[in-house]
Amino acid sequence: MTIFTNFLRSLLLTIIFSFVAPMFLVGAGLLLLSLLGHFPALQELTEAIATQISLFLVTFGSGTPLRGLFVISLTCSFVGALFDMYAYYRCQILRIDS
């Protein structure tokens, strides 16, 4: 029974971290762009990059950047969960073979 609870705990943590990681990545990128935008020479460049990031998120979010970020985060979470399940399965197979 402890193996199953360890698996569920691992799976839940993987899902949470895989969901939060893209949000932090995009948020940190936009924060860095906003901080660099205070320099007069970089203002136009940072605005252009932030606009392109927003347009990229709008593409996945059906017109809303926040929804696009949620779609990307959910996708990363799903892929992380699949990878965790595969790693658990592979570990069990190797444990049986030895």
Side-chain angles (χ1 to χ4, degrees), residues 23-84:
M23 289 189 174
F24 279 143
L25 184 67
V26 171
L30 291 176
L31 179 67
L32 180 68
L33 287 173
S34 117
L35 292 176
L36 288 175
H38 289 296
F39 295 110
L42 298 174
Q43 189 172 11
E44 291 181 19
L45 178 66
T46 57
E47 285 181 12
I49 293 172
T51 302
Q52 292 301 318
I53 291 172
S54 178
L55 289 175
F56 176 77
L57 292 175
V58 164
T59 302
F60 289 103
S62 301
T64 307
L66 187 61
R67 188 179 300 163
L69 185 60
F70 279 130
V71 167
I72 291 172
S73 294
L74 284 173
T75 304
C76 288
S77 178
F78 179 69
V79 170
L82 287 176
F83 179 74
D84 190 52

Side-chain angles (χ1 to χ4, degrees), residues 13-29:
L13 286 173
T14 301
I15 289 171
I16 290 171
F17 286 134
S18 297
F19 182 80
V20 172
M23 289 189 174
F24 279 143
L25 184 67
V26 171

